[in-house]
């Protein structure tokens, strides 16, 4: 079998997508291993759950850096030190600089809680409800410099049900996120995807 690709997951909070990736990577035939979890927030709940799964964790606290460039340089150093090959953003709430994104082009994924290109950005569930859509969902995609705009790898549709609140809808979408994100990482790690051209 091919050596597993070394993956870092970048988080800022709860880390449920991180946990789904960690769980998937426990399977013997999974083509990636989670070698590192990085948080930009020291209080992120996901750090403790990663550590309890035996995964190395590191905090790169954005408040300790004077610029985005300096923060991204520290982030990149942490990834290189751990010989990371693939980066998965999972609820990572920082904009990344163009040089950082360019460096990891074709090797950096994100999970977004809408059917892109609909509802880029924040508060996707409230906005989907306000728009009255009947079908919502989630998207795993490559990261490009423009927010939530990279090539789509996988999507899963989720019905909007009568009486849904942003919270009930978010919970239904999150279950789908936890299915498609590990599947998307598998495709990338197996070399089955073309890198974005920019
Ligand atoms: C998820 O809905 C993800 O799609 C979005 O932020 C949320 C993170 O949740 N980018 P978690 O930290 O993975 O639980």
């Amino acid at each position: 079998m091919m050596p597993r690709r070394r993956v870092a997951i970048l988080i800022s909070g709860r880390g449920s997508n991180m946990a789904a990736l960690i769980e998937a990577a426990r399977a013997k035939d999974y083509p990636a291993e989670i070698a590192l979890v990085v948080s930009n927030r020291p209080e992120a709940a996901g750090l403790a759950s990663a550590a309890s799964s035996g995964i190395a964790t590191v905090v790169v606290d954005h408040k300790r850096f004077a610029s985005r460039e300096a923060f991204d340089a520290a982030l990149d150093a942490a990834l290189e030190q751990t010989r990371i090959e693939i980066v998965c953003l999972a609820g990572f709430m920082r904009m990344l600089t163009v040089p950082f994104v360019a460096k990891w082009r074709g090797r950096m994924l994100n999970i977004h809680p809408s059917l892109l290109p609909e509802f880029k950005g924040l508060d996707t569930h409230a906005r989907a409800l306000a728009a009255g859509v009947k079908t919502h969902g989630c998207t795993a995609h490559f990261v490009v410099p423009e927010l939530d705009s990279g090539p789509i790898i996988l999507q899963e549709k989720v019905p909007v049900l009568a009486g849904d609140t942003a919270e009930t809808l978010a919970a239904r979408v999150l279950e789908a996120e936890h299915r498609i994100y590990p599947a998307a990482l598998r495709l990338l790690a197996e070399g089955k995807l073309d890198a974005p051209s920019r």
Side-chain angles (χ1 to χ4, degrees):
M1 213 175 86
M2 292 275 290
R4 295 180 189 224
R5 308 294 302 280
R6 294 175 61 79
V7 174
I9 306 175
L10 273 49
I11 65 169
S12 298
R14 174 177 61 181
S16 72
N17 278 288
M18 173 206 78
L21 293 171
I22 290 172
E23 178 60 29
R26 286 161 55 100
K28 275 203 176 58
D29 69 340
Y30 199 76
E33 65 173 298
I34 311 306
L36 184 68
V37 168
V38 185
S39 174
N40 67 304
R41 295 179 61 218
E43 68 277 20
L47 284 170
S49 76
S52 74
S53 298
I55 312 277
T57 65
V58 63
V59 174
V60 183
D61 184 348
H62 63 274
K63 294 195 182 117
R64 293 181 47 237
F65 296 88
S67 66
R68 285 192 191 277
E69 287 72 20
F71 170 75
D72 283 7
L75 194 56
D76 192 60
L79 300 175
E80 289 298 346
Q81 206 164 39
T82 319
R83 304 190 322 280
I84 294 303
E85 305 174 87
I86 293 175
V87 175
C88 289
L89 308 183
F92 182 70
M93 304 301 283
R94 298 290 298 172
M95 292 290 295
L96 295 163
T97 60
V98 170
F100 183 92
V101 174
K103 176 181 167 176
W104 291 94
R105 179 170 64 87
R107 301 187 292 150
M108 182 155 60
L109 306 184
N110 183 43
I111 181 77
H112 182 76
S114 77
L115 293 174
L116 291 171
E118 296 298 316
F119 310 118
K120 296 177 182 180
L122 298 175
D123 299 324
T124 58
H125 307 300
R127 286 158 56 211
L129 289 175
V133 298
K134 296 278 180 285
T135 304
H136 187 42
C138 53
T139 304
H141 64 94
F142 279 112
V143 176
V144 298
E146 197 186 336
L147 185 70
D148 299 332
S149 299
I152 290 169
I153 300 167
L154 291 174
Q155 294 186 304
E156 186 171 325
K157 291 179 180 170
V158 169
V160 178
L161 303 181
D164 260 342
T165 62
E167 289 71 31
T168 59
L169 184 54
R172 195 174 310 118
V173 171
L174 196 62
E175 290 181 23
E177 293 180 37
H178 297 166
R179 285 188 287 270
I180 69 168
Y181 208 7
L185 174 59
R186 171 187 280 280
L187 291 173
L188 178 63
E190 288 176 342
K192 292 185 174 154
L193 302 175
D194 292 327
S197 53
R198 62 195 169 91

